[in-house]
Amino acid sequence: MDQRPTYICIDQIWKRSLLFERIIPLFDPLDCGEAFRLLSPKEQLYAHYLSRAAWYGGLVVLLQTSPESPTIYVLLQKIFRKQPPAQLEAVATAAGLSSEEYQAFLVYAAGLYANMGNYKSFGDTKFIPNLPKEKFKALVWESQAYKENPGEIETLWNSCSHFLYSLEDKQKQLGLGNKGITTYFSGNCCLEDAELAQKFLDSKNLSAYNTRLFKKESDGKRCYEVRLAAAVKKGEAETPCSMFEFEDASFSVQRGDYAFLMEKVSQNLEKAKAYAANENQAKMLEEYIRSFTYGSVDAHKEGSRFWIKDKGPIVESYIGFIESYRDPFGSRGEFEGFVAVVNKAMSARFAQLVSSAEVLLPELPWPTAFEKDRFLKPDFTSLDVLTFAGSGIPAGINIPNYDDIRQTEGFKNVSLGNVLAVAYATQKEKLTFLDEKDKDLYIKWKGPSFEVQDDKGKFNFDQAEVRNPETGELVSLWYKGSETWDSKFSTIASSYEECRAECVGLYLCLNKQVLSIFGHEGEEAEEVIYVNWLNMVRAGLLGLEFYTPESKSWRQAHMQARFVILRVLLEAGEGLVTLSEITGADGRPDALITLDRSKIHTVGKSAIQKFLCKLQVHKSTADVEGGRALYEGYSAVTSDGSHNFLQFRETVLLRKEARKMFVQANTQIKGEAVELEEYESSAAGLVQSFIQRFPEDAEEVEAQLLELASRDATCWC
C-alpha cells in the first residue's frame, strides 16, 4: 500500500520505495569580490545595470515554473522584509517551532529563491517544507507582516498553502498533460496540441523560444493563444500579431506576456547602454531592448550577432529566453541572465584551444563533408560570475542556441570559473560508488578534467554531396523551410545535444595536443584522461536519480545524456567498465563502478567514436526517426539484461547527496560609486540577499507578480 509522508526536506522527493534520508543542503558563496573591485567605475556601472536587468527578468521563472510559485515567493518576501531571518527566529520560537523546524523553514525559503520556484531546477521535481504545515502556518500568523496586514497575508496563505505541501501524482514533477505541471502550456494542452502549435509557428516562421500556449474551445473548435513575452501589448512591430486559421484550428498571436517584468528589463538595459565599452555592446543592448519590448526573437538574434562580435569583453553578459530544458516539448526557453568578469589567465588557455580547433576538428569521427567549409572560431572565455538570475547556475554555457547563427556566424563558449571552484570541491567521504584507490585521483583531477572536457562543436553539411557514413548512400533527409534542430527533435533535442557534446569532449580529451594546452603531459595527462572518463561513468550512474519509473521519463537532460554514455561504454564490453551491486560498510545496498584505464584508448575510444558518428549523422540529416530510436534505446532504464538499472536507481536514491545552493551578491549605487554587498554562506544569507535584491520597488514588483499569476489562474485547472 502506498504511503505518503506529511513532509520531506528540500532535496527529497516522494518515492514509492519510501527511501527517505535527511539531507542537509549545502550553501556556498559565489565569490566575485576581487574581480568586481578590479573593474573600472564605468565597467562597474555597466555590470550593475546589467545585473538589475537580469534580476528583474529572473522573476519570470516563477511564472514559468508552477502556478503557485509567484504567490509563495511574495508571501516569503513580505514576511522577511518585515523581519529578516535573525529577527524572525524569536518569532518562530514564540510560535512553537523548534530550532530545527525554523532552520527547515529557512532552507525551504532558500530553495524557493535558488530555484525560482518550488520545483528543483536540476531534476524538475517538487520540494516541500521539512516542517509540518501547521507549524509553517503558526510562524506566518505570528509574523509582523501578518500583524500589520492580516487580510493580505491570510489571502496569500490560502492561495498557496495547499499546493505548497501537495504531493498528488501530477504535482510531483514538471510535465505536460497528465505527466506533470507546466505553465508553458495551459492545463488542457497535451502533446498533440504542442505538436500542432509547433507546426503553426514553423509555418509563420515564428520561434517558440519566448512563447507560451493557451488553449480554449469554442463551438467545438480548438482555439489557441500564442502569447509572446513583451513589454507592450499592441503597436507597430515586425512580429505578426493577429488571428490565423491553421488545420481546422484558430491561432491568436498576442504580445504582452510578463509585460511589467519585460519593461523593467528593458529599462535597465537602456541604463547599461550608457556605459557600454564599444559599439557592439551598445547595438547588442539596443536589439535586446527591442526584443523584450515587442516580443521579437529576430531582434534577440540580431542582438546575439553583436554579442558574438564583442570578443573578449571585460564584463560579459547574456540575457533572454535561452534554454529549453524545462519546456516539456523542448522548444520554449526559460528566462535567464548572467553578468560576469573575465578570468584572463584561464581564458588564454581556452583561446589557445580554439586556435588549435582547425587541426583538431578533422580528428572527429565523421567525414569532412559533415563539417562546414569554414570553421567559425568561437570566443571561449573563463568567467567569474557576478550575477546569474534564473532557476539554476551551470558550470559552463555554449550560446547562442539559435542554429542559424551558430552555423553561419559563430557562438561563444563560456566556462564559469567561480562556479566550478565551488561545485567541484569534493570531500572524499562523500564520494559514492568509487573504489577507494580512485577517490584521491578523482578529487585531485576532477576540476582540471572538466576544463579539458568542456568542448562543443556544431557542423553543417551539403545534402547534395554527403553520403551517410553508416549506409554509404546519399542522404535523403534534411531540415526544410523553417525547421530547426529544436523544433524537429523536440522532446529529445536538449538531452541528445548534451550527449553529443559530452562525447566530443571524451573523444578529444584523448588528444595529447588538447591536454598539453592545459599544461597536462606525460603521466599527468593520463591521470586527467582517466578521471575525465571515470567522472563520466560515475555521473551516468548518478543520473538514475533523475529517472521516473512510473512515467518512464527523464527529468534532466544532462543526466540522461550521461546515463546513455554509461550504457554505451558498458555495452563496449571487454572489461572497460564494470558496475556491481555490493553491500556498503553501513550494511546497506551500495554500488561500485570501475574503469580499466588500459582500455580507454582502445575499447573506449572505439565505442565513443562509433556512437558519436551515429549521433552526428542523425542530427545533421534531420533523421528524427533514427535518432530517436537510437537515443531512446540507450535511455531505457529496465531490470532486464546484465544490469538491473531500476535496482541501481534505488541505491542511488538511498545514497544521494544534496546539490549546492549558491549565495550571490548584490550591487547597489551609493553616491557615484557601485558597492558590492556580500552575504554569509547559509540559508539565512541566501534569504537576506533576496530581501535586498529589489530595494527601490519591492512592493510594486510583488503586486505585479500576483497580478500576472492571477490573470491566468483559471488556465491551469
Side-chain angles (χ1 to χ4, degrees):
M1 182 179 71
D2 286 348
Q3 298 180 41
R4 302 190 184 199
T6 304
Y7 52 89
I8 58 177
C9 73
I10 183 75
D11 204 47
Q12 294 174 329
I13 59 171
W14 180 88
K15 299 184 283 288
R16 293 191 187 278
S17 56
L18 297 180
L19 295 174
F20 293 101
E21 292 297 313
R22 185 174 295 274
I23 300 173
I24 306 300
L26 304 173
F27 296 89
D28 283 289
L30 201 56
D31 185 13
C32 191
E34 182 179 358
F36 182 79
R37 283 184 277 273
L38 290 173
L39 296 177
S40 69
K42 180 181 178 181
E43 290 165 345
Q44 288 183 348
L45 284 163
Y46 182 64
H48 167 73
Y49 286 115
L50 288 175
S51 294
R52 301 309 302 147
W55 287 127
Y56 280 113
L59 295 173
V60 167
V61 180
L62 291 165
L63 296 154
Q64 291 182 305
T65 299
S66 71
E68 65 271 14
S69 286
T71 308
I72 299 172
Y73 171 88
V74 171
L75 175 65
L76 293 172
Q77 284 290 86
K78 288 186 178 297
I79 291 171
F80 286 124
R81 277 195 294 108
K82 290 294 182 182
Q83 294 168 300
Q87 295 180 21
L88 196 63
E89 186 168 11
V91 175
T93 301
L97 278 70
S98 67
S99 60
E100 290 80 10
E101 288 170 333
Y102 179 61
Q103 184 62 26
F105 171 77
L106 289 182
V107 165
Y108 178 79
L112 190 286
Y113 291 138
N115 291 278
M116 273 288 95
N118 60 336
Y119 287 76
K120 292 191 289 184
S121 64
F122 202 84
D124 294 342
T125 48
K126 188 175 188 178
F127 57 88
I128 67 174
N130 190 26
L131 73 161
K133 185 175 181 179
E134 59 270 20
K135 291 292 186 76
F136 197 124
K137 180 179 180 180
L139 175 55
V140 172
W141 255 244
E142 192 69 24
S143 69
Q144 189 64 31
Y146 179 84
K147 291 179 178 178
E148 291 184 11
N149 291 288
E152 178 185 41
I153 300 300
E154 185 170 358
T155 297
L156 291 172
W157 173 259
N158 290 339
S159 175
C160 70
S161 59
H162 170 73
F163 297 102
L164 194 150
Y165 276 89
S166 174
L167 285 172
E168 296 174 15
D169 283 349
K170 184 177 178 179
Q171 293 169 8
K172 289 186 292 186
Q173 65 281 316
L174 300 180
L176 182 59
N178 60 7
K179 291 187 176 181
I181 294 295
T182 180
T183 52
Y184 287 102
F185 299 86
S186 57
N188 56 352
C189 284
C190 62
L191 181 60
E192 180 185 354
D193 298 304
E195 291 172 339
L196 178 63
Q198 188 61 59
K199 289 180 183 178
F200 165 74
L201 292 170
D202 287 344
S203 74
K204 297 300 178 184
N205 200 28
L206 286 174
S207 170
Y209 267 116
N210 66 341
T211 70
R212 292 196 290 173
L213 185 70
F214 297 83
K215 175 186 175 183
K216 293 181 180 178
E217 297 223 354
S218 178
D219 297 327
K221 184 177 182 179
R222 294 170 297 172
C223 302
Y224 299 95
E225 178 187 350
V226 177
R227 197 181 297 169
L228 310 177
V232 301
K233 299 179 181 179
K234 297 180 180 179
E236 294 295 325
E238 64 270 29
T239 304
C241 290
S242 185
M243 293 288 296
F244 304 91
E245 296 297 316
F246 184 81
E247 294 191 10
D248 299 323
S250 64
F251 283 84
S252 172
V253 180
Q254 302 294 331
R255 295 188 199 93
D257 213 4
Y258 323 119
F260 171 79
L261 297 174
M262 292 296 95
E263 183 177 5
K264 300 296 286 187
V265 170
S266 298
Q267 288 171 352
N268 281 280
L269 292 178
E270 186 66 46
K271 292 176 181 177
K273 195 170 68 168
Y275 303 100
N278 53 56
E279 187 177 359
N280 279 326
Q281 286 184 359
K283 288 184 176 179
M284 169 191 78
L285 294 177
E286 285 177 7
E287 294 298 331
Y288 289 165
I289 292 167
R290 186 160 67 94
S291 174
F292 300 137
T293 300
Y294 297 109
S296 169
V297 171
D298 285 341
H300 196 269
K301 286 185 175 182
E302 194 64 26
S304 297
R305 291 185 173 97
F306 287 116
W307 179 70
I308 293 168
K309 294 175 184 176
D310 185 28
K311 303 291 186 183
I314 300 300
V315 177
E316 183 63 282
S317 68
Y318 198 64
I319 189 169
F321 296 87
I322 312 301
E323 303 292 355
S324 57
Y325 301 128
R326 300 183 92 187
D327 169 16
F329 190 65
S331 295
R332 289 152 188 81
E334 184 177 73
F335 195 97
E336 69 179 41
F338 77 84
V339 184
V341 182
V342 170
N343 180 323
K344 294 183 179 180
M346 183 55 69
S347 295
R349 293 182 180 180
F350 286 141
Q352 189 178 351
L353 176 64
V354 171
S355 296
S356 305
E358 290 179 89
V359 177
L360 298 173
L361 289 181
E363 299 292 320
L364 290 169
W366 50 75
T368 55
F370 276 72
E371 300 172 12
K372 292 177 57 62
D373 293 334
R374 181 173 62 90
F375 171 65
L376 298 170
K377 292 183 179 180
D379 196 18
F380 200 163
T381 52
S382 178
L383 307 173
D384 285 342
V385 174
L386 169 66
T387 296
F388 206 114
S391 66
I393 307 177
I397 318 171
N398 181 268
I399 40 181
N401 286 329
Y402 306 120
D403 276 345
D404 51 343
I405 294 179
R406 296 174 66 91
Q407 298 288 359
T408 60
E409 299 176 55
F411 52 91
K412 288 186 180 182
N413 279 296
V414 174
S415 176
L416 305 180
N418 57 343
V419 176
L420 282 172
V422 173
Y424 279 60
T426 308
Q427 294 176 288
K428 184 175 180 179
E429 61 271 19
K430 292 187 177 181
L431 267 180
T432 53
F433 312 133
L434 293 182
D435 193 279
E436 286 298 316
K437 63 182 174 55
D438 285 332
K439 291 184 178 181
D440 290 328
L441 279 175
Y442 187 92
I443 291 170
K444 181 178 180 180
W445 295 111
K446 185 180 179 186
S449 72
F450 181 88
E451 294 163 1
V452 174
Q453 169 70 12
D454 188 14
D455 189 49
K456 298 187 179 183
K458 289 210 170 188
F459 313 103
N460 206 348
F461 68 99
D462 183 349
Q463 70 270 19
E465 299 179 7
V466 176
R467 290 185 180 275
N468 187 320
E470 298 292 311
T471 65
E473 300 176 356
L474 287 172
V475 297
S476 57
L477 297 170
W478 51 82
Y479 295 94
K480 300 170 184 176
S482 58
E483 290 178 343
T484 65
W485 160 248
D486 280 332
S487 68
K488 193 77 173 172
F489 280 70
S490 64
T491 54
I492 67 166
S494 293
S495 184
Y496 188 108
E497 178 58 9
E498 292 299 338
C499 186
R500 194 185 69 90
E502 297 278 27
C503 287
V504 169
L506 283 178
Y507 191 78
L508 287 184
C509 87
L510 300 176
N511 187 294
K512 292 181 180 179
Q513 184 176 349
V514 172
L515 292 165
S516 66
I517 289 171
F518 289 88
H520 307 306
E521 297 185 1
E523 183 179 345
E524 186 177 285
E526 290 303 316
E527 300 284 34
V528 169
I529 291 171
Y530 177 63
V531 171
N532 194 26
W533 281 61
L534 182 65
N535 180 48
M536 185 62 66
V537 295
R538 177 176 182 262
L541 177 60
L542 294 176
L544 287 168
E545 175 190 340
F546 302 92
Y547 177 78
T548 303
E550 292 81 4
S551 60
K552 297 183 179 180
S553 62
W554 284 89
R555 308 187 310 273
Q556 216 294 319
H558 300 79
M559 302 310 283
Q560 179 183 358
R562 291 157 189 166
F563 176 76
V564 166
I565 293 172
L566 171 62
R567 288 281 311 276
V568 169
L569 295 178
L570 282 168
E571 185 183 85
E574 299 187 44
L576 172 68
V577 177
T578 61
L579 176 59
S580 309
E581 297 179 50
I582 64 173
T583 301
D586 57 3
R588 300 188 300 173
D590 207 339
L592 178 66
I593 192 162
T594 62
L595 172 70
D596 186 339
R597 67 169 68 207
S598 70
K599 296 178 180 177
I600 293 175
H601 288 275
T602 54
V603 180
K605 181 178 181 180
S606 176
I608 291 297
Q609 180 181 30
K610 293 174 183 176
F611 184 63
L612 182 53
C613 186
K614 291 177 182 178
L615 290 175
Q616 180 72 10
V617 169
H618 290 311
K619 178 184 178 181
S620 298
T621 58
D623 181 9
V624 180
E625 184 177 346
R628 189 175 287 277
L630 173 73
Y631 200 68
E632 291 182 345
Y634 279 107
S635 297
V637 178
T638 69
S639 57
D640 303 329
S642 56
H643 297 92
N644 186 340
F645 287 114
L646 287 173
Q647 184 58 49
F648 277 116
R649 176 181 176 272
E650 298 301 318
T651 302
V652 169
L653 291 172
L654 179 67
R655 297 186 176 277
K656 71 180 206 173
E657 296 288 334
R659 283 178 62 80
K660 295 178 180 179
M661 287 191 258
F662 293 101
V663 181
Q664 299 188 58
N666 285 319
T667 57
Q668 54 184 326
I669 296 177
K670 289 190 177 180
E672 297 182 356
V674 181
E675 293 188 359
L676 190 71
E677 184 74 29
E678 298 174 284
Y679 306 90
E680 68 176 38
S681 303
S682 65
L686 199 158
V687 168
Q688 189 67 33
S689 72
F690 267 87
I691 298 172
Q692 298 178 351
R693 194 132 284 163
F694 304 100
E696 304 95 352
D697 54 3
E699 291 189 6
E700 182 186 13
V701 167
E702 291 159 15
Q704 289 290 336
L705 275 173
L706 291 176
E707 183 176 327
L708 289 168
S710 63
R711 169 187 172 183
D712 299 319
T714 59
C715 296
W716 318 122
C717 300

